[in-house]
Amino acid sequence: MNLEKIITLIIKIYIAIMFAFIFAPIVASFIFSFNSDRFPSVPLGEFSLKWYKTIYYDADIWDALFVSVTTSLSAAIISTFIGFCTAYTDYRFKFFGKNSYLALALLPPTIPLVIMGLAMLAWLSQIGMSGRWYSIIIAHVVLCSPFAMALIRLRLAQMDPSIEAAAWNLGASEVRAMREIIFPFTGPTIISALCLTAAVSFDEFAVAWFVAGLNKTIPVVILEVLQGQVDPQINAIGTFVFITSMTLVIISQFLFMSRRKNGGHDG
């Protein structure tokens, strides 16, 4: 075995170890969610759906799920719209202060979530909008828009800028060029951005905890259960949240990567 193969093998082993380290707690939580015993212990008790039935009949869980789903869908739609507008502005126009504009647009994910939550709480309180269901949507839009902007801008970077200009020269209006060139070209990436921002919003806890008031999301409910006592319901709720988020992320990644591979054949 030559040196190159040895290095490749070491890298593969390293990656496998890292994935095992990251996903081991999630797998353990998934296994224990079907354990009949109240406390996570080995050997396991009998296979049981008791904890899933418990959360199914819990009205607070359903209320939190409604808030989480409503929030994530609303935040995803608004964030993707803002992200598209920001990305297209960067792609099409040149103007004074453009670098500062982009820096501000991409700033929110770099701010620690606790600081972001405190800042959003202070700001929303000043304008009388703290503790409302739409407070979470506003906060999550601020947090998620940069992700949508980054994805869509990467897609637009693969497009020849002269195509849209050629459509204008041939008599197409700006609206028609947008409808028949820009939207078809970025369509799958827009859906990818929708899925990604929905996943980010659905999972987000810190900011929602500060601004939500009595409108609890699923992650906030998980914290409240944890503060009370060790409850195996957390494993069942966590499994549902993980599957939902990973499904959205995988769909987003699949759409984005498929368009990147086919980028050279578009237009």
Side-chain angles (χ1 to χ4, degrees):
M1 183 178 294
N2 58 37
L3 181 60
E4 183 178 350
K5 290 183 178 179
I6 293 175
I7 294 175
T8 302
L9 179 61
I10 292 174
I11 292 175
K12 289 181 178 179
I13 293 174
Y14 173 78
I15 294 174
I17 293 173
M18 288 299 99
F19 271 99
F21 179 78
I22 294 171
F23 287 101
I26 298 172
V27 173
S29 177
F30 175 76
I31 293 173
F32 285 123
S33 70
F34 296 102
N35 185 23
S36 60
D37 294 341
R38 181 173 183 80
F39 297 97
S41 58
V42 179
L44 299 174
E46 297 179 356
F47 176 86
S48 175
L49 296 175
K50 175 170 61 175
W51 309 120
Y52 287 93
K53 292 178 180 177
T54 301
I55 64 174
Y56 180 81
Y57 291 108
D58 190 332
D60 291 337
I61 298 296
W62 282 104
D63 290 341
L65 179 62
F66 176 78
V67 173
S68 288
V69 171
T70 303
T71 299
S72 62
L73 288 177
S74 301
I77 293 171
I78 299 172
S79 297
T80 302
F81 174 76
I82 295 175
F84 174 83
C85 294
T86 308
Y88 183 76
T89 300
D90 176 43
Y91 167 77
R92 175 50 58 193
F93 302 105
K94 294 181 180 179
F95 52 90
F96 175 77
K98 184 176 180 179
N99 291 335
S100 299
Y101 166 79
L102 294 176
L104 288 174
L106 296 171
L107 180 63
T110 67
I111 301 174
L113 290 177
V114 173
I115 296 176
M116 171 81 73
L118 286 170
M120 293 301 301
L121 175 62
W123 177 63
L124 291 171
S125 297
Q126 288 295 320
I127 60 177
M129 296 177 64
S130 178
R132 311 294 178 86
W133 63 270
Y134 48 79
S135 302
I136 315 173
I137 298 175
I138 295 172
H140 282 185
V141 166
V142 173
L143 183 63
C144 294
S145 295
F147 295 101
M149 181 266 181
L151 281 178
I152 297 171
R153 186 62 185 91
L154 285 172
R155 178 58 178 161
L156 285 171
Q158 300 172 358
M159 181 177 178
D160 186 347
S162 63
I163 295 177
E164 192 178 17
W168 298 338
N169 292 333
L170 292 172
S173 65
E174 293 188 5
V175 174
R176 184 176 180 183
M178 178 75 70
R179 185 178 67 247
E180 297 188 11
I181 297 175
I182 301 297
F183 285 154
F185 189 85
T186 59
T189 308
I190 290 174
I191 298 174
S192 174
L194 280 168
C195 292
L196 180 62
T197 51
V200 172
S201 175
F202 191 80
D203 272 349
E204 201 285 320
F205 156 73
V207 175
W209 186 77
F210 279 103
V211 305
L214 299 177
N215 303 284
K216 304 171 186 175
T217 60
I218 289 290
V220 174
V221 168
I222 291 176
L223 176 69
E224 291 185 350
V225 174
L226 274 173
Q227 288 177 331
Q229 57 184 338
V230 177
D231 195 323
Q233 291 183 72
I234 295 174
N235 295 322
I237 300 172
T239 298
F240 169 76
V241 172
F242 174 75
I243 291 175
T244 301
S245 301
M246 285 302 298
T247 300
L248 290 170
V249 170
I250 290 171
I251 293 173
S252 172
Q253 185 69 7
F254 175 79
L255 288 171
F256 181 70
M257 294 305 296
S258 66
R259 296 307 293 179
R260 290 197 67 181
K261 290 178 180 178
N262 296 329
H265 304 288
D266 293 324

